[in-house]
Amino acid sequence: AIPSLSRACSSIDNIYNLEKDLKQSQNDVEIFAEQQALHEEPFESLSCKGLSFSYPAAPGNGADSFRLPPFDFTVKAGEIVFVVGGNGSGKSTFLKLLTALYQPVSGQIEWNGRVVTADRLASYRNLFTPIFTDFHIFKRILGVPNLDEVKVRELIARMELVGKTDVENKRLTHTDLSTGQKKRLALILAKLDDRPIYIFDEWAADQDPIFRRFFYTTLLPEIKADGHAVIAVTHDDSYFIYADRVLKMEYG
């Protein structure tokens, strides 16, 4: 048992070291934001004004780091916005800046016409249910205190995952699925969160043609009809008619 115990101790040390590094990397705004209680406020609109971002220059790369120059952007409740552009154009960076996971170099974000300051930052982040390309699924269903397992099974059936996974005691029985199936499972969890803004980063890319059509023609209009906003990165130009607006990014 000694080798297993040694590996466990090493893993625990790594977790503690990671926690320490994360705390050291937090600025005063993040530390203050973490201490604020979440408060509910109906979502009406989100506006970015002069928002910009720049990655730190990589060693040996001079000043040629990728950047998003100042931009304006607005989305309202009950609106679907598609974001298109080639690889490396800044789509994922835009989403992480919009969700306040990245700190902007300049500009501001307004939520319902009020600037998102440090005391509202945690509540602002709580507006979003994002499914990024590098998402992870936990077996335990988190953040849903009054989980209705009947509803979960209904969603599993609707996402055509019956026989692939199930829910027992607030836990998913299987998460070892194909990429497309994992994305469907992530969408189930997103719908359980039921937050005002859904973020999809190329969600449909790994779906078969039939389910891709179901996503654009049925699921997104339903989400919109419920009063949610949708911001989706996509390359499926045949479904652009289901968006209220399509924005194209080129090199930031």
Side-chain angles (χ1 to χ4, degrees):
I2 290 176
S4 297
L5 182 61
S6 297
R7 285 194 297 270
C9 289
S10 177
S11 297
I12 291 171
D13 287 340
N14 288 338
I15 291 172
Y16 283 141
N17 289 333
L18 176 61
E19 278 191 332
K20 183 179 179 181
D21 290 343
L22 289 174
K23 288 183 182 298
Q24 289 177 343
S25 67
Q26 282 186 316
N27 57 32
D28 292 339
V29 172
E30 288 291 338
I31 294 172
F32 177 78
E34 273 191 358
Q35 298 169 348
Q36 305 308 301
L38 297 178
H39 58 87
E40 298 291 333
E41 180 181 330
F43 172 72
E44 297 172 3
S45 66
L46 179 163
S47 297
C48 302
K49 296 185 177 179
L51 214 62
S52 68
F53 179 80
S54 179
Y55 287 99
N61 199 29
D64 295 330
S65 60
F66 183 81
R67 63 187 294 267
L68 291 182
F71 67 89
D72 297 341
F73 171 78
T74 300
V75 65
K76 298 179 180 179
E79 187 176 23
I80 298 176
V81 178
F82 286 173
V83 181
V84 303
N87 291 335
S89 62
K91 303 183 300 295
S92 295
T93 301
F94 162 70
L95 294 182
K96 290 178 180 177
L97 189 61
L98 189 67
T99 51
L101 296 177
Y102 287 177
Q103 185 173 352
V105 173
S106 65
Q108 64 187 31
I109 299 176
E110 294 183 359
W111 165 20
N112 292 348
R114 293 173 53 205
V115 176
V116 177
T117 49
D119 59 318
R120 302 175 75 217
L121 184 59
S123 297
Y124 171 78
R125 286 175 175 157
N126 212 42
L127 293 173
F128 299 93
T129 294
I131 303 178
F132 295 119
T133 54
D134 54 351
F135 70 97
H136 178 80
I137 293 176
F138 295 93
K139 281 194 171 183
R140 182 184 171 196
I141 299 178
L142 305 168
V144 187
N146 300 313
L147 182 67
D148 184 349
E149 294 192 356
V150 173
K151 181 180 179 181
V152 177
R153 291 193 178 94
E154 289 174 352
L155 289 169
I156 287 174
R158 199 165 189 223
M159 298 295 173
E160 299 180 4
L161 294 176
V162 174
K164 305 292 184 181
T165 191
D166 201 351
V167 59
E168 293 178 0
N169 299 320
K170 298 185 179 182
R171 294 177 66 89
L172 298 167
T173 57
H174 295 93
T175 57
D176 187 17
L177 307 171
S178 69
T179 302
Q181 290 169 340
K182 282 184 178 179
K183 285 186 173 181
R184 296 183 198 181
L185 194 52
L187 183 50
I188 290 173
L189 299 173
K191 289 186 73 66
L192 292 174
D193 271 344
D194 197 35
R195 294 182 183 176
I197 307 173
Y198 285 72
I199 300 284
F200 298 114
D201 194 353
E202 298 193 35
W203 186 93
D206 299 286
Q207 306 300 327
D208 61 67
I210 295 175
F211 206 88
R212 182 181 297 131
R213 177 174 178 78
F214 176 66
F215 172 71
Y216 286 111
T217 65
T218 302
L219 290 178
L220 290 190
E222 285 179 358
I223 293 172
K224 174 181 177 176
D226 288 337
H228 300 277
V230 175
I231 303 169
V233 170
T234 179
H235 295 288
D236 296 320
D237 52 3
S238 58
Y239 295 105
F240 283 1
I241 58 172
Y242 293 95
D244 295 293
R245 285 181 291 140
V246 179
L247 307 179
K248 183 177 182 181
M249 296 190 70
E250 290 185 359
Y251 306 107

